[in-house]
Amino acid sequence: MPDRSSGSAFPPPALGDSLARGWDEPDEGLPPSDWGRPRGPRRTATVWLFALFIIALAAANAWLTDRLTNEAFLAWATIFTAISLQALPFLVFGVALSAALTAFVPVSFWRRAIPRNSALAVPVAGAAGAILPGCECASVPVAGGLIKRGVAPAAALTFLLAAPAINPVVLVATAVAFPGSPEMVVARFLAALGAAVVVGWIWARFGRTGWLRMPRADHDPDASKWRVFRESMQHDLMHAGGFLVVGGLAAATLNVLVPREWVIAVADLPVVSVLVLALLAILLSICSEADAFVAASLTEFSPTAKLAFLVVGPMVDLKLIALQAGTFGWGFVRRFVPLTLALTLIFTFVVGGVLL
């Protein structure tokens, strides 16, 4: 009998097949740990490049310590180091929890926990994202696995948006990055959850099955859960760590090199400053466990503009767009990303205007 998962003798199962078979089918396994991830030589090359980067930094530190004493450089280095050291523990903890969810929580759990009715399933999925942590890299394949096993696409996509934006690790990191400002934590939670739920409801009403191209499950069914955990954490830590470094470098550079009058000119324009930081969040693609520390360093911008950075980034950024396109197809991305971006901005302005 031909294997559905390895050949083309059978068409991919329809999204409703899981519902037609019922809920008592045995779990077919976890979502593949390598969806949207480079494999083989590419993954090894990434590890070696990161190792060489660390060695180069150490060598440069030993060689240039006595030479680079310019005040601007020292300020830049101080800002970059502070951002990185503050964010790193939350990044590691968040990646570990995300890998544990991928490896040890079967997709059948989500199938049983989320209602079949889309209108009810969407807020439940949003609340699940607030309870169970997961980074952007993990949320896309998990959402694909949920849809393949019969969960309403609108609910799975709501979880995809909510999990990296408002999970406990992210909220604690936000509280640490903005000490004495609990309203920023509340605003981030409300704006991100509201945007995720409304996106889900709109998709439930107007979304079409044909807009989603489901991936083929080609993972090794015999892989142990500990192996999935190890590989997931290794990849996500290397991937998210790289984006943290890029974000820290960009934030430090903005604080030191960009003329202060330029920053003040943009920061003093309420709408423009929000749009600028939203665009910056999309381009930097910082892991949500670390983005609060970068946002806090942008001291010239208003709280609402910083809120835009925190709400837009975990839901719409370059790496997420690439992962979504590889998993669900560009037809999905062309519809889903503009909708998500519009709603995140709307909720940022509304919640920021009320609370901040």
Side-chain angles (χ1 to χ4, degrees), residues 167-194:
N167 69 66
V169 177
V170 169
L171 296 179
V172 171
T174 305
V176 173
F178 292 90
S181 301
E183 64 274 8
M184 181 62 76
V185 181
V186 176
R188 180 175 196 175
F189 177 84
L190 293 178
L193 179 60

Side-chain angles (χ1 to χ4, degrees), residues 144-239:
L146 293 174
I147 295 173
K148 289 198 67 167
R149 285 159 177 81
V151 174
L157 296 176
T158 302
F159 178 83
L160 183 154
L161 296 176
I166 56 173
N167 69 66
V169 177
V170 169
L171 296 179
V172 171
T174 305
V176 173
F178 292 90
S181 301
E183 64 274 8
M184 181 62 76
V185 181
V186 176
R188 180 175 196 175
F189 177 84
L190 293 178
L193 179 60
V197 170
V198 174
V199 168
W201 277 334
I202 292 176
W203 195 270
R205 175 64 180 86
F206 301 103
R208 299 291 181 267
T209 300
W211 294 349
L212 288 166
R213 185 198 69 198
M214 292 307 304
R216 190 179 297 277
D218 56 357
H219 66 287
D220 182 6
D222 299 323
S224 68
K225 294 182 178 180
W226 282 106
R227 176 183 169 187
V228 173
F229 173 80
R230 176 177 56 81
E231 292 180 351
S232 297
M233 185 169 179
Q234 177 186 0
H235 169 269
D236 290 346
L237 185 60
M238 295 296 297
H239 189 73

Side-chain angles (χ1 to χ4, degrees), residues 21-174:
R21 290 196 300 268
W23 298 98
D24 297 327
E25 293 286 336
D27 186 21
E28 297 174 1
L30 299 166
S33 61
D34 56 357
W35 284 358
R37 300 173 178 172
R39 303 178 192 159
R42 211 180 273 179
R43 178 183 296 178
T44 304
T46 302
V47 175
W48 281 108
L49 285 175
F50 189 75
L52 290 174
F53 176 71
I54 297 298
I55 294 172
L57 286 180
N61 178 69
W63 183 53
L64 298 173
T65 297
D66 297 330
R67 293 171 174 81
L68 297 177
T69 57
N70 182 272
E71 290 184 3
F73 174 79
L74 293 178
W76 178 89
T78 300
I79 295 171
F80 170 70
T81 302
I83 292 172
S84 300
L85 291 181
Q86 278 186 304
L88 189 59
F90 294 96
L91 179 64
V92 173
F93 184 57
V95 166
L97 286 175
S98 174
L101 287 176
T102 301
F104 301 114
V105 179
V107 176
S108 58
F109 166 80
W110 305 105
R111 189 183 60 193
R112 292 191 297 268
I114 298 177
R116 301 186 188 185
N117 183 280
S118 295
L120 296 176
V122 165
V124 171
I131 297 171
L132 298 173
C135 72
E136 296 94 321
C137 299
S139 64
V140 175
V142 169
L146 293 174
I147 295 173
K148 289 198 67 167
R149 285 159 177 81
V151 174
L157 296 176
T158 302
F159 178 83
L160 183 154
L161 296 176
I166 56 173
N167 69 66
V169 177
V170 169
L171 296 179
V172 171
T174 305

Side-chain angles (χ1 to χ4, degrees), residues 210-303:
W211 294 349
L212 288 166
R213 185 198 69 198
M214 292 307 304
R216 190 179 297 277
D218 56 357
H219 66 287
D220 182 6
D222 299 323
S224 68
K225 294 182 178 180
W226 282 106
R227 176 183 169 187
V228 173
F229 173 80
R230 176 177 56 81
E231 292 180 351
S232 297
M233 185 169 179
Q234 177 186 0
H235 169 269
D236 290 346
L237 185 60
M238 295 296 297
H239 189 73
F243 284 108
L244 171 60
V245 171
V246 172
L249 291 173
T253 301
L254 287 173
N255 276 273
V256 174
L257 296 184
V258 177
R260 184 66 58 185
E261 56 270 19
W262 292 10
V263 176
I264 294 175
V266 173
D268 286 342
L269 301 175
V271 176
V272 174
S273 63
V274 170
L275 297 179
V276 166
L277 285 197
L279 177 61
L280 187 65
I282 295 172
L283 296 177
L284 293 184
S285 302
I286 304 172
C287 183
S288 58
E289 281 90 359
D291 60 1
F293 299 96
V294 176
S297 70
L298 303 172
T299 54
E300 298 294 339
F301 287 86
S302 68

Side-chain angles (χ1 to χ4, degrees), residues 298-323:
L298 303 172
T299 54
E300 298 294 339
F301 287 86
S302 68
T304 300
K306 295 177 185 178
L307 179 63
F309 188 89
L310 299 177
V311 174
V312 173
M315 298 189 186
V316 184
D317 64 31
L318 293 182
K319 73 175 184 295
L320 262 180
I321 292 172
L323 287 171

